[in-house]
Amino acid sequence: MAILRFKALTDLMNKKVPDMTFPSQRVSDFYGELVFNDEAMKRYLQGSVYEEIKNIIANGELINRNIADGVAAGMKAWAIDHGAVHYSHWFQPLTDGTAEKHDGFINYGPDGNIIEEFSGKHLAQQEPDASSFPSGGIRQTFEARGYTAWDVSSPAFIVGSTLCIPTIFISYNGDALDYKMPLLRALHAVDKAAVDVCQYFDKNITKVHSNLGWEQEYFLVDEGLYMARPDLMLTGRTLMGHQSPKDQQLDDHYFGSIPERVAYFMRDLEIESQRLGIPVKTRHNEVAPNQFELAPIYEECNLANDHNQLVMDLMKKLAKHHGFEVLLHEKPFAGVNGSGKHCNWSLGTDTGINLFAPGKNPKGNMLFITFLTNVMAAVHKGQDLLRSMILNATNQHRLGANEAPPAIISIFLGSQISSMLDKIAEKVSDSKMTPEEKTELKLGVGRLPEILVDNTDRNRTSPFAFTGDRFEFRAVGSSANCAGAMTALNAMLAEQLVDFKNKVDELIENGVKKDEALFQMVRNLILESAPIHFDGNGYADDWKREAAERGLTNITSVPESLSKMLTEHAKKVFVGQGILSERELEARHEVEIEKFVKKVQIESRVLGDLVLNHILPIAINYQNVLINNVKGMRDVFGGDAEQLTENERQLIRKVSEHVSVIRGKVGEMIEARKECNRIENAVDKAFAYDQRVQPFLAEIRHHVDELEFIIDNEMWPLPKYRELLFFR
Ligand code: ADP
Ligand code: MG
């Protein structure tokens, strides 16, 4: 290993700063050049096709064959002009990451010659074999066909020599097998429900779209060291590793100057992202050594999510050009911060209003307060559902650790908003408020914007924080597809808004004035959802106690959390609004359950292998070195050696104790796995893996880490934390 370690170091010296030149143009000159965007459509679409497709995109109408053919012709010409020779439907199956199947444009022409062919048929639909994608029992083998269908709302783009068309992925029977389809349905539901509520305030509002601004955290590791860590390669995280004496204690990495080799990677990534029309804007060092963040300007949710998927893919590819591996796992290293993906979320209207931003006048503020309180109510009712979307085998190692949001869902509002809500809750009751008081309250609310600008109180310990004009959902994992969280959030809010509107309408029908009815309902929401509102320290132990008293849930077990995908509430939100059918919902639950079992199973196998054939042999070698030393000392010093070798003999004992505990526990873990594997029912199996296999991982690791601490550095077979975290 020592040799490997030195080789990695010398390699590092050689590749410190890659030999590359960046374009000297302005970003605006190459931004979006690989996207079939508005500009490209204008240039390449013939006749009325441009106007027609624009209308379809804006109004979500169905596409007829003629228009599809027209768009395909233009898209083909554009793609070929930009070097594409293949096309691919690009989709997001229920795995980690995206999928693509490339087909060449080539075909035989009428005279048997080779031509480039791409028609509306190819654009609109492709038929990948679905049998190797997770489907949770939806797809039976005799109908293994799946379909991908063009998502007109997200523009096609070129990666390498391939034209990529964003698509949804459905089964032969039309069941959703991906992340995009339910997201689109949820976005539609929230659009409709939000417009209906907006109509109380402003008749001009006819469309509401959801925005997403993601912040992607990641680690970079030198590829030479990565290759020497089978656990990183196979599971995405280190299953062992003694803490580095120095890691993040000094807070010297966060926002520090970006290491040169990393800066080159980042620039490369930014340029390629921007060419693909992804508005990446912010980059910085994160808290842990070798941890970084990338964030774009927010965009419409579906597009933003496609862009996040694309960026994760680009990161993996480009990191290799720079001799790095990118780690998107939520907790690649124990003991230092993990990686999340904050999802900044807001709703915007077609009149240019941000519904999560305090308004400029009393009417605008009531609109804001209405949406704010409905979000609170939705998250309060949906805390379990929301968690079930983001707590999984990888994110479980991050949530609840003291640098990430706890597994308790709560909302941070800040002191200004809190006191405003208190005021409303206190004052508004059936008839107590005089019209003057109401105006005063509205005007009081009207002064919010100035106050908010100064409000720098940004509680980092909250999983769901109001940050002035948006909510920031921080519990999402770095490796996740944001669609899970965004589908749930938008669907939950839609369901809540429909309920709100029904109740307001009922009051109005009973003769209550509209304004009064809205005030009363808002007040009810504030009171009902009060338990979800928490501005204090989410990392504190006190909070766990208080949250329990408030009736908030704190679920850390993945299978238990996943079971909340199937509650009556979840069904009301998803099935009731046509976002997922009951079958699709159950299938999704099954897929997640299986994913959990497989991931824990893989970790357990990798750890077992590594321990048995990497760690224990080395420990025994080292033990023999010590034993020979003691024997040699006896030869030299005779009886005096007993005292002189006291420490060595203790060390031998220590090593041998660790070795024997590790051997025993690995054996038990393998046994436990065997027993769990015999369990037929998938859910029972997941619980068994959670309770009976998973605990061994930490126990075994503890002893391995102790060995790492005492065994000769020259002999240790794996790159250490201090190397993984600091080589760059
Ligand atoms: P932070 O301090 O949390 O890192 P940033 O200013 O870097 O905040 O913004 C994080 C993300 O939030 C960015 O993607 C940004 O575009 C996005 N964002 C800003 N305003 C909104 C909004 N109204 N709706 C949704 N996302 C937003
Ligand atoms: Mg943020």
Side-chain angles (χ1 to χ4, degrees):
M1 181 55 215
I3 292 167
L4 224 171
R5 207 168 273 158
F6 285 124
K7 180 169 181 332
L9 261 178
T10 36
D11 283 356
L12 246 174
M13 295 306 159
N14 293 336
K15 67 189 169 199
K16 217 159 177 129
V17 176
D19 179 24
M20 64 191 310
T21 48
F22 293 119
S24 54
Q25 300 138 286
R26 288 177 301 193
V27 173
S28 53
D29 290 334
F30 58 82
Y31 186 83
E33 68 182 11
L34 297 177
V35 185
F36 194 57
N37 54 18
D38 195 59
E39 201 187 311
M41 286 200 287
K42 248 188 218 148
R43 253 190 78 193
Y44 282 89
L45 297 184
Q46 306 284 321
S48 62
V49 177
Y50 172 76
E51 296 301 333
E52 285 171 293
I53 191 72
K54 288 288 280 183
N55 262 334
I56 287 170
I57 294 170
N59 304 319
E61 288 158 15
L62 285 177
I63 309 153
N64 68 39
R65 186 61 194 271
N66 274 344
I67 298 174
D69 279 336
V71 175
M75 207 185 264
K76 180 180 99 176
W78 170 79
I80 290 172
D81 280 356
H82 289 77
V85 286
H86 292 90
Y87 70 94
S88 169
H89 278 200
W90 180 80
F91 58 103
Q92 301 170 25
L94 299 173
T95 54
D96 300 339
T98 55
E100 50 198 85
K101 174 190 163 211
H102 298 194
D103 274 316
F105 287 130
I106 67 159
N107 208 345
Y108 290 118
D111 322 324
N113 54 339
I114 288 292
I115 58 162
E116 272 90 14
E117 185 190 53
F118 181 69
S119 69
K121 192 180 78 190
H122 303 109
L123 169 62
Q125 194 171 306
Q126 217 179 16
E127 224 180 273
D129 182 353
S131 59
S132 296
F133 292 105
S135 74
I138 275 185
R139 185 222 61 242
Q140 305 183 356
T141 37
F142 61 89
E143 39 187 53
R145 265 181 299 171
Y147 294 105
T148 49
W150 181 27
D151 168 17
V152 280
S153 62
S154 182
F157 54 89
I158 295 173
V159 174
S161 62
T162 304
L163 167 68
C164 298
I165 299 146
T167 53
I168 55 163
F169 180 42
I170 52 178
S171 75
Y172 181 70
N173 296 324
D175 293 317
L177 293 177
D178 70 349
Y179 284 107
K180 189 190 262 281
M181 183 78 216
L183 177 63
L184 290 173
R185 290 179 186 150
L187 295 174
H188 180 70
V190 83
D191 172 12
K192 184 165 181 321
V195 166
D196 284 349
V197 169
C198 286
Q199 287 279 311
Y200 288 130
F201 302 89
D202 187 345
K203 295 280 179 216
N204 295 321
I205 298 175
T206 61
K207 188 146 182 60
V208 169
H209 59 271
S210 184
N211 295 315
L212 166 64
W214 44 263
E215 302 166 52
Q216 179 72 54
E217 293 181 343
Y218 61 95
F219 280 85
L220 288 174
V221 171
D222 182 76
E223 68 177 346
L225 299 179
Y226 174 87
M227 298 296 181
R229 289 286 312 215
D231 48 353
L232 264 187
M233 285 178 70
L234 299 178
T235 74
R237 73 174 178 122
T238 54
L239 298 173
M240 54 184 74
H242 196 280
Q243 222 169 325
S244 166
K246 172 191 183 290
D247 44 51
Q248 64 187 41
Q249 308 92 316
L250 300 177
D251 290 327
D252 50 355
H253 191 252
Y254 191 54
F255 282 12
S257 93
I258 297 171
E260 205 178 8
R261 186 171 153 217
V262 175
Y264 265 70
F265 159 71
M266 286 177 166
R267 188 70 201 115
D268 202 8
L269 175 62
E270 282 165 354
I271 291 168
E272 289 312 310
S273 299
Q274 286 158 347
R275 293 178 75 207
L276 284 163
I278 305 171
V280 294
K281 182 176 171 74
T282 306
R283 62 184 196 189
H284 60 78
N285 288 3
E286 261 300 330
V287 172
N290 272 355
Q291 190 189 26
F292 307 93
E293 180 183 301
L294 173 71
I297 303 170
Y298 69 91
E299 299 175 282
E300 186 281 320
C301 185
N302 175 43
L303 185 62
N305 191 50
D306 281 357
H307 282 167
N308 179 242
Q309 289 294 304
L310 198 48
V311 159
M312 291 201 286
D313 204 35
L314 276 179
M315 284 174 124
K316 290 182 202 156
K317 285 182 188 153
L318 293 176
K320 290 197 194 343
H321 296 183
H322 296 261
F324 286 124
E325 278 291 336
V326 64
L327 307 181
L328 294 175
H329 192 288
E330 283 77 1
K331 195 79 179 176
F333 304 102
V336 297
N337 275 20
S339 301
K341 181 148 52 197
H342 296 177
C343 287
N344 294 268
W345 172 56
S346 66
L347 294 182
T349 69
D350 53 351
T351 58
I353 295 172
N354 174 357
L355 295 170
F356 293 170
K360 292 192 172 57
N361 52 43
K363 193 171 85 177
N365 272 322
M366 251 329 268
L367 185 60
F368 161 64
I369 291 166
T370 301
F371 276 87
L372 178 85
T373 49
N374 273 287
V375 169
M376 287 175 67
V379 173
H380 184 223
K381 282 192 288 187
Q383 43 179 314
D384 286 340
L385 176 56
L386 200 52
R387 188 193 300 104
S388 74
M389 294 287 133
I390 48 109
L391 182 59
N392 51 36
T394 52
N395 205 16
Q396 67 172 337
H397 299 291
R398 167 178 166 265
L399 287 188
N402 271 0
E403 28 83 15
I408 306 164
I409 305 283
S410 66
I411 300 185
F412 168 86
L413 293 175
S415 51
Q416 273 76 27
I417 301 282
S418 303
S419 68
M420 175 193 77
L421 295 188
D422 287 348
K423 234 193 239 157
I424 296 175
E426 197 182 296
K427 283 204 180 164
V428 184
S429 60
D430 307 50
S431 57
K432 272 191 215 131
M433 261 213 318
T434 63
E436 291 75 32
E437 274 179 318
K438 261 186 228 162
T439 312
E440 187 209 301
L441 191 60
K442 285 189 195 169
L443 287 176
V445 170
R447 283 196 292 273
L448 269 173
E450 295 97 70
I451 308 171
L452 270 178
V453 172
D454 288 341
N455 181 5
T456 47
D457 178 11
R458 301 190 59 186
N459 187 332
R460 289 271 156 197
T461 67
S462 176
F464 200 95
F466 179 70
T467 49
D469 61 356
R470 61 192 188 265
F471 284 95
E472 186 169 337
F473 187 31
R474 302 197 179 114
V476 183
S478 49
S479 71
N481 184 316
C482 313
M486 295 318 287
T487 301
L489 268 180
N490 286 294
M492 280 159 45
L493 179 59
E495 190 267 344
Q496 168 57 34
L497 288 169
V498 169
D499 186 58
F500 176 82
K501 185 175 184 310
N502 288 341
K503 287 178 178 156
V504 171
D505 284 350
E506 204 178 300
L507 285 176
I508 294 174
E509 269 162 35
N510 290 332
V512 181
K513 286 230 175 68
K514 187 181 81 179
D515 248 20
E516 184 70 40
L518 286 166
F519 259 122
Q520 272 183 35
M521 274 311 303
V522 160
R523 175 177 181 268
N524 287 353
L525 293 184
I526 296 171
L527 296 176
E528 278 165 26
S529 57
I532 200 80
H533 173 200
F534 177 63
D535 280 6
N537 180 5
Y539 297 168
D541 277 334
D542 281 354
W543 170 230
K544 285 191 191 135
R545 225 168 302 126
E546 191 186 327
E549 279 165 22
R550 291 181 181 201
L552 299 180
T553 52
N554 180 11
I555 302 174
T556 51
S557 145
V558 176
E560 190 187 342
S561 171
L562 288 175
S563 73
K564 306 297 182 194
M565 288 170 77
L566 302 176
T567 59
E568 281 313 305
H569 173 255
K571 285 182 185 162
K572 204 165 155 208
V573 168
F574 286 145
V575 184
Q577 300 191 102
I579 288 157
L580 288 169
S581 69
E582 192 139 357
R583 212 159 91 111
E584 288 171 330
L585 183 59
E586 279 166 7
R588 231 149 260 257
H589 171 252
E590 202 177 310
V591 167
E592 289 303 322
I593 283 282
E594 277 176 9
K595 243 194 243 175
F596 172 77
V597 168
K598 285 179 185 160
K599 287 194 178 176
V600 177
Q601 188 179 53
I602 290 170
E603 287 191 347
S604 159
R605 285 182 179 160
V606 170
L607 182 68
D609 280 8
L610 265 182
V611 161
L612 294 181
N613 55 44
H614 279 61
I615 307 300
L616 292 188
I618 293 299
I620 289 162
N621 279 352
Y622 182 56
Q623 206 178 28
N624 286 336
V625 170
L626 295 172
I627 290 170
N628 287 335
N629 173 264
V630 171
K631 281 187 186 156
M633 292 287 275
R634 265 195 208 121
D635 289 348
V636 177
F637 295 105
D640 288 349
E642 284 313 291
Q643 209 197 332
L644 290 170
T645 58
E646 175 63 24
N647 288 338
E648 272 70 20
R649 283 182 294 119
Q650 269 180 26
L651 203 51
I652 294 168
R653 190 182 299 274
K654 229 185 193 173
V655 171
S656 100
E657 275 166 8
H658 286 306
V659 166
S660 102
V661 175
I662 290 172
R663 213 184 277 289
K665 290 213 178 282
V666 169
E668 286 174 46
M669 177 172 75
I670 293 170
E671 258 330 290
R673 223 163 56 213
K674 275 188 195 154
E675 281 168 30
C676 292
N677 290 343
R678 273 186 228 118
I679 301 173
E680 293 266 324
N681 179 291
V683 173
D684 294 344
K685 193 183 201 168
F687 274 99
Y689 259 94
D690 186 33
Q691 290 156 8
R692 287 161 53 199
V693 176
Q694 194 151 244
F696 282 113
L697 293 171
E699 286 172 30
I700 294 168
R701 177 196 181 126
H702 168 77
H703 292 277
V704 174
D705 291 355
E706 289 291 306
L707 283 178
E708 181 186 325
F709 196 53
I710 50 185
I711 285 178
D712 182 357
N713 183 55
E714 284 279 309
M715 296 174 108
W716 194 253
L718 301 173
K720 297 185 170 183
Y721 267 28
R722 63 161 195 268
E723 293 157 342
L724 292 165
L725 287 169
F726 287 95
F727 283 8
R728 58 179 74 117

